[in-house]
Amino acid sequence: MRSLTEPETRALFSKLANYTGRSLHHLITPPSPTSDSDRPVFRLHASRVYYVRLSLANLATSIARPNLLSLGTCLGKFTKTGKFRLHITALEVIAPHARYKVWVKANGEMPFLYGGNVVKAHVGRWTEDCPEHQGVVVLGMSDTPLGFGVTARSTAEARRLEPTGITTFRQADIGEYLREEDTLFAT
C-alpha cells in the first residue's frame, strides 16, 4: 500500500471532480477539525485506490502486501492504460458531495438497477442547469443513492426529449453488488 503519484492523483481528482465539483475539497480536508492522524488519505494497493483514515493506513503497513485484501473504501481502480475507473463502492463517498443529481421515479428504479440507462419517463426531477456529459448521482425519490452516471443531454435539452429518450448513461448502480459479486472485490 502506497501513496498515489502525481499523475495518479491528477487522474483520480479529475474523475472525482466530475461528480463533486468544488466540494472535492471536503473529501480531502473534512470540515470538522480533526487530528492529523484521522484525516482521510488516498492509498493505492494492487491498482485499486482506497479512501481511508491515515491512522488506519499507518497500521496497515505492518501487514504484508499479499495478505492485505482491502482497506477502507475502495473508490476504483487504474486500468492497464493508466485511466481511472470508479467502482460502485465509491457511491457512499461521492453521493453526499455530488453537485448534480437525478431523482428516479419508483417505476424507473428497477430498470436502472438491472443495468439500464435512465430515460426521461423515469426521471422524477433533476438538478437545474446540468450540462451535457456531466457526472451525476442517481437517487430514488426517497433520496436513496442508487448509482451514478453521465448525463446524455443538458437539462434544457432533456426537457424537450420524448419519454423514451435517454437522459443519463449508467456507469454504476447498486445492483452490481449482486451481478458482479465474484469479480467486484477480486484481486
Side-chain angles (χ1 to χ4, degrees):
M1 182 160 291
R2 65 171 176 84
S3 299
L4 276 67
T5 62
E6 185 67 30
E8 292 169 341
T9 305
R10 192 176 306 113
L12 171 68
F13 285 173
S14 66
K15 183 66 84 163
L16 288 175
N18 191 27
Y19 292 94
T20 60
R22 292 186 181 186
S23 63
L24 174 65
H25 179 70
H26 296 299
L27 287 176
I28 303 165
T29 56
S32 63
T34 60
S35 65
D36 191 45
S37 65
D38 282 342
R39 69 180 171 90
V41 293
F42 299 96
R43 293 291 185 247
L44 183 75
H45 178 67
S47 77
R48 295 181 188 267
V49 176
Y50 294 94
Y51 185 67
V52 63
R53 286 192 334 250
L54 180 60
S55 59
L56 192 60
N58 289 339
L59 289 173
T61 58
S62 63
I63 300 172
R65 286 186 184 185
N67 297 338
L68 186 65
L69 180 65
S70 177
L71 180 70
T73 303
C74 180
L75 294 181
K77 67 181 282 186
F78 282 99
T79 62
K80 292 180 181 178
T81 60
K83 295 180 181 174
F84 184 73
R85 183 172 185 268
L86 279 174
H87 283 183
I88 186 59
T89 52
L91 183 63
E92 70 178 37
V93 175
I94 62 173
H97 304 288
R99 183 174 180 191
Y100 298 110
K101 300 175 182 178
V102 173
W103 285 267
V104 177
K105 296 178 186 174
N107 64 345
E109 288 182 11
M110 289 310 287
F112 179 73
L113 295 179
Y114 279 110
N117 297 322
V118 178
V119 296
K120 184 185 176 195
H122 293 157
V123 174
R125 63 180 195 217
W126 52 70
T127 309
E128 294 297 321
D129 300 329
C130 184
E132 188 175 8
H133 304 300
Q134 179 65 42
V136 293
V137 171
V138 179
L139 304 162
M141 291 305 284
S142 61
D143 286 337
T144 305
L146 301 176
F148 52 88
V150 176
T151 56
R153 308 259 192 273
S154 66
T155 307
E157 293 174 5
R159 291 187 196 282
R160 294 188 295 268
L161 276 179
E162 63 273 3
T164 59
I166 296 174
T167 59
T168 304
F169 296 119
R170 182 200 70 85
Q171 287 191 334
D173 62 80
I174 57 176
E176 287 182 21
Y177 284 114
L178 296 175
R179 290 195 312 268
E180 298 180 9
E181 66 183 334
D182 295 338
T183 60
L184 190 61
F185 298 108
T187 56

